[in-house]
Amino acid sequence: MKKKLKIGVLFGGKSAEHEISLLSARNVINALDKKKYEVIPIGISKEGKWILGSVSNYLLNSDNPKLIKLYDSKKEVALTIQSSGSLTDVKSKKKHGNVDVVFPVLHGPYGEDGSIQGLFKLAGIPFVGAGVLGSAVGMDKDVMKRLLTEAGIKNAKCIALKNGEKLTFEKAKKTLGLPMFVKPANLGSSVGINKIKSKKDWKKFLAEAFLYDSKILIEEAIVGRELECAVLGNDEPIASGIGEVVLNAEFYSYDAKYIDEDGAIIEIPAKNLSKNILQKLRETAVKAYKALECAGMGRVDMFLTKRREVYVNEINTIPGFTNISMYPKLWAQAGIPQTKLLDILINLAIDRFEKEKKLRKEK
Ligand SMILES: Nc1ncnc2c1ncn2[C@@H]1O[C@H](COP(=O)(O)OP(=O)(O)O)[C@@H](O)[C@H]1O
Ligand SMILES: [Mg+2]
C-alpha cells in the first residue's frame, strides 16, 4: 500500500483573524481524505507557540464559533531550517516525526503575508498557496493596488499614508470624494476598516486604522455589487463561477462577516449577470491573480458598478474555508467538492516544489 502523505495543517496564529482560522481549519481537517493523508494538526497560539495536536484533539468548543479555542496538548514543536519538514519538540529536542506538505490555514499577518512561507521554504517542504512574494504583495493593499494598476486592472483610487505623515481631510476629500474608506494596509476580515462620511470621522478612524498597521490606505468609495471569484492553479490558473456578497449593512464589516447573522448573505452563483459580464469578471480575476504572483489558490474580490465597470478590491491568498466561506463553495458549485479541491491544492504545492527544486542553484 502506498504510504500516506503527511499533511501538516497549521491554524490559529498571531493575527486578529485567529478565530476565523480555527473555523477554517476545522473544515479543512474534516474534508481531507483520510485514506490518502495522515493529518497532523498544528495550532499556533496567539503568542506564536506551535502546538502539536491530533485529529481527535486540536480544538476546544469546535461547534461554537464564539467559544472556539486551540486545544493545548502541551507538546510545543518547532520547524527548523533544512529539516525537510521534521518537527522538533521545543523542550526535549526530540523529533516528533515529519510533515510532507504544509497547508497553512492562517489568515492575516504572519500567516498570509509571506513570513511563514519563508520558513517553509527554508525548511525545505512544499506548502499550499502563494509563495513568499505572492503572499506579501497580496497582503499589502498598497503594493497590491500598484501592481493591479500597472497591469491595467481598475481599482479604487487611494492614498497610502505612513504613520507620522500628514494628510488633511480636505485634501483627501478633494482627491477621493466622499464617503471614503480607511483601512490598515496589511490586515483582513475588515478589522480596522471604517467608512468616513464627514470631517468628524476623520481623526478617529485614521487613528483606529493606525492601531493595526504603520501604513494605512484611504480609498474612494466604489458603489457597486460585491462579487467574488475563486482562482485555482499555478502557471495556468482557472476561475470558478461568480459569487455575491449581498449586504444588509453599510459595508462588509467584521460584524457583517462574522457576528450579525443578517449582515450579509452569500449568493452562489450571483444572480442577474450577463454572459459578457460573467466572462469579464472571471478574466479580470485570473489577470489579477497572475499580476499579483499568486499560486495555488486565491479569491479575487471585485466590485461591479452600475456602469458595468469591474474594479478589483483585493485578493485573498489564503481565503476562508469556514462553513459559509465563498472559496470552497464556489468550487463545489463548479463541480469540485472540498475533498477534491484539497487534493488539487496539495498536488499544486508538490508540483511547484518539485519545479523549484530543479532550478540550478550554482553557477
Ligand atoms: N473602496 C471601497 N469602496 C467600497 N467599499 C469598500 C471599499 N473598500 C472596502 N470596502 C468595504 O469594506 C469591506 C472590507 O474591505 P477589504 O478591503 O476587502 O478588506 P479586508 O481585507 O479586511 O476584507 C469590503 O468588502 C467592502 O464592503
Ligand atoms: Mg475583503
Side-chain angles (χ1 to χ4, degrees):
M1 210 176 81
K2 233 174 112 185
K3 242 179 92 195
K4 286 184 188 180
L5 265 189
K6 293 183 187 165
I7 311 294
V9 179
L10 278 168
F11 50 92
K14 292 205 279 182
S15 91
E17 295 171 274
H18 179 96
E19 281 77 18
I20 311 306
S21 158
L22 303 186
L23 294 168
S24 289
R26 192 188 62 164
N27 273 348
V28 168
I29 290 175
N30 285 343
L32 277 165
D33 187 344
K34 311 295 183 303
K35 287 201 242 36
K36 283 190 193 151
Y37 308 118
E38 182 183 336
V39 180
I40 301 170
I42 304 166
I44 305 180
S45 74
K46 288 184 177 171
E47 298 75 41
K49 279 188 192 169
W50 288 31
I51 298 157
L52 185 64
S54 63
V55 175
S56 53
N57 233 350
Y58 60 97
L59 288 176
L60 295 172
N61 312 318
S62 65
D63 293 329
N64 187 337
K66 291 197 179 95
L67 297 175
I68 194 167
K69 257 176 79 160
L70 277 188
Y71 166 75
D72 189 356
S73 68
K74 311 278 183 217
K75 279 189 207 157
E76 198 189 327
V77 292
L79 185 66
T80 51
I81 61 168
Q82 293 180 326
S83 59
S84 302
S86 104
L87 297 164
T88 308
D89 190 287
V90 170
K91 290 192 191 96
S92 69
K93 305 284 183 272
K94 276 196 200 129
K95 297 278 184 237
H96 265 306
N98 74 301
V99 295
D100 298 311
V101 178
V102 180
F103 197 138
V105 187
L106 297 161
H107 306 309
Y110 306 108
E112 202 174 347
D113 65 354
S115 38
I116 210 161
Q117 286 74 12
L119 175 64
F120 302 147
K121 264 195 117 158
L122 292 175
I125 30 170
F127 56 95
V128 169
V132 172
L133 179 64
S135 300
V137 300
M139 189 83 247
D140 186 311
K141 291 185 164 84
D142 167 40
V143 177
M144 172 187 74
K145 286 163 80 69
R146 287 193 249 163
L147 289 179
L148 289 175
T149 303
E150 199 200 59
I153 300 166
K154 262 204 188 79
N155 60 92
K157 213 191 287 172
C158 79
I159 301 173
L161 197 66
K162 295 216 173 119
N163 209 346
E165 287 176 354
K166 291 264 172 298
L167 177 69
T168 61
F169 170 78
E170 286 71 21
K171 190 158 179 218
K173 184 178 150 189
K174 202 171 162 205
T175 316
L176 307 170
L178 264 188
M180 325 174 214
F181 276 86
V182 57
K183 51 180 90 164
N186 294 272
L187 207 59
S189 287
S190 301
V191 176
I193 302 191
N194 281 291
K195 192 172 180 177
I196 295 177
K197 292 182 193 157
S198 69
K199 189 167 178 172
K200 77 171 183 7
D201 300 330
W202 180 251
K203 269 200 170 152
K204 183 176 66 180
F205 288 161
L206 260 65
E208 188 181 330
F210 274 127
L211 288 177
Y212 298 97
D213 201 347
S214 52
K215 180 167 70 172
I216 64 169
L217 294 192
I218 301 140
E219 282 182 20
E220 72 172 314
I222 304 297
V223 180
R225 295 171 66 180
E226 290 204 31
L227 300 168
E228 305 189 346
C229 182
V231 184
L232 176 67
N234 290 340
D235 299 332
E236 286 163 26
I238 54 166
S240 70
I242 300 295
E244 178 164 15
V245 178
V246 183
L247 286 174
N248 192 15
E250 182 113 10
F251 68 95
Y252 204 19
S253 61
Y254 186 88
D255 279 11
K257 280 180 184 172
Y258 308 114
I259 312 274
D260 178 4
E261 281 182 14
D262 306 318
I265 334 171
I266 303 280
E267 196 114 55
I268 297 175
K271 291 184 183 139
N272 300 323
L273 293 173
S274 70
K275 245 188 170 169
N276 275 349
I277 291 291
L278 260 177
Q279 190 59 13
K280 186 167 164 186
L281 288 159
R282 297 176 71 223
E283 276 171 17
T284 305
V286 170
K287 198 171 167 189
Y289 186 91
K290 287 182 171 170
L292 298 173
E293 300 278 350
C294 205
M297 60 182 172
R299 196 192 72 227
V300 179
D301 297 350
M302 296 167 277
F303 296 115
L304 177 67
T305 69
K306 279 229 163 71
R307 295 167 61 189
R308 299 186 179 195
E309 293 162 311
V310 173
Y311 282 76
V312 167
N313 178 37
E314 63 156 342
I315 189 166
N316 287 287
T317 54
I318 306 184
F321 273 87
T322 71
N323 278 337
I324 51 161
S325 289
M326 192 77 100
Y327 190 85
K329 283 196 161 187
L330 279 168
W331 285 119
Q333 200 254 339
I336 306 178
Q338 197 162 334
T339 299
K340 176 90 193 300
L341 174 64
L342 299 175
D343 280 347
I344 298 173
L345 288 169
I346 288 167
N347 285 328
L348 286 167
I350 296 170
D351 269 5
R352 186 180 44 162
F353 180 79
E354 294 299 332
K355 272 198 187 131
E356 279 177 14
K357 215 164 73 179
K358 284 196 195 117
L359 293 174
R360 211 199 263 194
K361 301 283 182 312
E362 282 160 50
K363 237 187 359 179

